[in-house]
Amino acid sequence: MTSSLTIRRPDDWHLHLRDGAMMNAVLPETARHFGRAIIMPNLVPPVVTSDDARAYQARILAALPDGMDFEPLMTLYLTENTDPEDVAAAYADGLIHAVKLYPAGATTNSASGVKNFDNVRNVLEKMAEIGLPLCFHGEVTTDEVDIFDREQVFLETVLDPLRQSMPELKVTLEHITTSHGIDYVAGASGDIAGTITTHHLMINRNHILVGGIKPHYYCLPVAKRREHMEALRAAATSGNPRFFLGTDSAPHTDDTKENACGCAGCFTATNTMSLLAHVFEEMGALDKLEGFSSLFGPARYGLAPNDATITLVKEAAAVTFPEKINTPVGPVTVFNPGHPVHWRVA
Ligand code: DOR
Ligand code: ZN
């Protein structure tokens, strides 16, 4: 039995830090274990321009507790008014590492997202030209499409046509939740990768709905059938460098989750590495954890892996995590997989 595993310090390629008091409270949860993270721009109002991103980056760095070493990798929120030259300048300056595309209405704070893809073609063409990755929230938002089919329909009606018409564009399909998404990323030609969250490796739609509704398991894209979770687990542990970790850790206070209209998002920053070790051990693939969480993401983004390492230790007794992170705006529940976990970060 492996009881200890040392890997390069991981990075999180999809993280929601929010702003203000919430950010101050959740930032240490990520910075404790992760060296870098791609910071999602869906603030209110969103991070749209290079000036917005520079100011947000400064607020994050100012909120970082003394002695913690963490690099926020900034992104811009793509709107139909985004200026391609501003994007290109921010990339050339090393300020941003990706642009995020939310189809309008897809999820939390996505109202300023893209309705008509023709209106962002100039930005996407510029990104293809300069090699700047596009992080895609991969769901259609039309009422007619069932929420459980929205990723699959997106692949067929949005992503594939876009990539056919712009094969040079580097795309990251974020938080994949279906076998269709896995098959698409694994099989597509060209420059494509996909991120997988911690929680989608551990829950399927039964966890959300059987025995009473569990708001802390609700996120978007919503978890699908068990067979899709199995496909995600197989891909994450396969050693295929196209698949790497993006936690999509998304803090919401309990009052907004435990609500008649509850917010989407699972908060996994605190215990992600323990949970991943659990999953990878279950899959007989602990040797693949480092690639997934620490090597394939940097390679994709043209960065070196972190020099530092972390050590995961398997304890005989189950490890305990805080049930909630207390913030000045209210408690945030930490994702609980509902079964014992024995791995902790030393
Ligand atoms: O569950 C989610 N929460 N999915 C997203 O795409 C956004 C995120 C958030 O910002 O809360
Ligand atoms: Zn997200």
Side-chain angles (χ1 to χ4, degrees):
M1 183 186 90
T2 307
S3 56
S4 152
L5 176 70
T6 297
I7 61 172
R8 295 278 193 141
R9 193 167 182 222
D11 301 304
D12 185 349
W13 300 94
H14 181 140
L15 176 68
H16 297 271
L17 279 183
R18 314 300 190 206
D19 212 342
M22 175 66 94
M23 171 173 75
N24 294 341
V26 299
L27 176 59
E29 299 303 299
T30 287
R32 195 171 294 131
H33 299 153
F34 292 88
R36 297 166 288 195
I38 284 273
I39 308 299
M40 285 296 121
N42 63 332
L43 304 182
V44 192
V47 179
V48 173
T49 66
S50 55
D51 286 346
D52 297 340
R54 201 169 283 108
Y56 186 31
Q57 181 188 47
R59 295 199 297 281
I60 297 169
L61 292 173
L64 193 64
D66 284 347
M68 275 191 161
D69 172 26
F70 173 74
E71 186 185 354
L73 305 175
M74 307 311 291
T75 63
L76 295 180
Y77 184 119
L78 183 60
T79 74
E80 295 185 8
N81 300 315
T82 294
D83 172 7
E85 295 311 322
D86 183 52
V87 171
Y91 184 51
D93 281 354
L95 172 66
I96 62 161
H97 294 263
V99 168
K100 172 74 185 230
L101 196 162
Y102 288 103
T107 187
T108 312
N109 304 334
S110 63
S112 331
V114 175
K115 296 190 183 80
N116 180 350
F117 282 79
D118 291 340
N119 294 339
V120 294
R121 229 187 138 81
N122 57 347
V123 183
L124 299 181
E125 276 165 0
K126 176 57 85 177
M127 291 171 61
E129 183 193 317
I130 63 181
L132 174 58
L134 178 72
C135 291
F136 224 137
H137 182 108
E139 288 188 289
V140 294
T141 56
T142 21
D143 281 346
E144 296 73 50
V145 180
D146 188 276
I147 191 166
F148 290 101
D149 297 332
R150 288 180 172 194
E151 183 172 293
Q152 184 183 3
V153 173
F154 167 86
L155 299 171
E156 292 157 6
T157 64
V158 180
L159 184 59
D160 197 55
L162 177 72
R163 294 189 65 253
Q164 300 282 350
S165 74
M166 232 184 270
E168 267 74 54
L169 184 65
K170 281 174 89 128
V171 175
T172 306
L173 179 62
E174 300 200 278
H175 40 52
I176 302 173
T177 59
T178 62
S179 61
H180 313 290
I182 295 295
D183 292 346
Y184 185 87
V185 170
S189 58
D191 202 332
I192 186 158
T195 58
I196 301 177
T197 76
T198 310
H199 50 284
H200 287 118
L201 295 171
M202 303 195 92
I203 59 166
N204 57 67
R205 64 196 201 180
N206 275 14
H207 292 84
I208 309 173
L209 295 170
V210 172
I213 192 159
K214 314 292 188 315
H216 296 290
Y217 288 159
Y218 173 63
C219 67
L220 288 170
V222 69
K224 310 295 192 301
R225 298 178 169 274
R226 183 183 186 93
E227 67 210 48
H228 293 293
M229 181 186 76
E230 301 296 351
L232 300 178
R233 290 165 70 102
T237 58
S238 67
N240 181 341
R242 284 190 173 185
F243 299 106
F244 50 86
L245 176 64
T247 66
D248 200 10
S249 182
H252 293 273
T253 53
D254 283 353
D255 59 322
T256 61
K257 294 284 292 173
E258 299 165 10
N259 185 297
C261 182
C263 292
C266 297
F267 181 73
T268 54
T270 305
N271 52 1
T272 274
M273 292 313 299
S274 295
L275 301 179
L276 288 176
H278 179 96
V279 169
F280 277 65
E281 183 183 39
E282 270 182 349
M283 296 294 289
L286 274 173
D287 60 323
K288 300 292 196 307
L289 179 59
E290 183 176 41
F292 180 73
S293 58
S294 314
L295 302 179
F296 303 154
R300 163 84 179 159
Y301 279 87
L303 300 170
N306 293 311
D307 285 329
T309 59
I310 63 165
T311 297
L312 288 144
V313 180
K314 189 172 184 190
E315 306 283 2
V319 177
T320 55
F321 305 105
E323 199 189 322
K324 296 175 195 296
I325 302 298
N326 288 312
T327 87
V329 285
V332 173
T333 291
V334 175
F335 180 81
N336 178 350
H339 55 68
V341 171
H342 292 260
W343 290 89
R344 71 175 170 84
V345 181

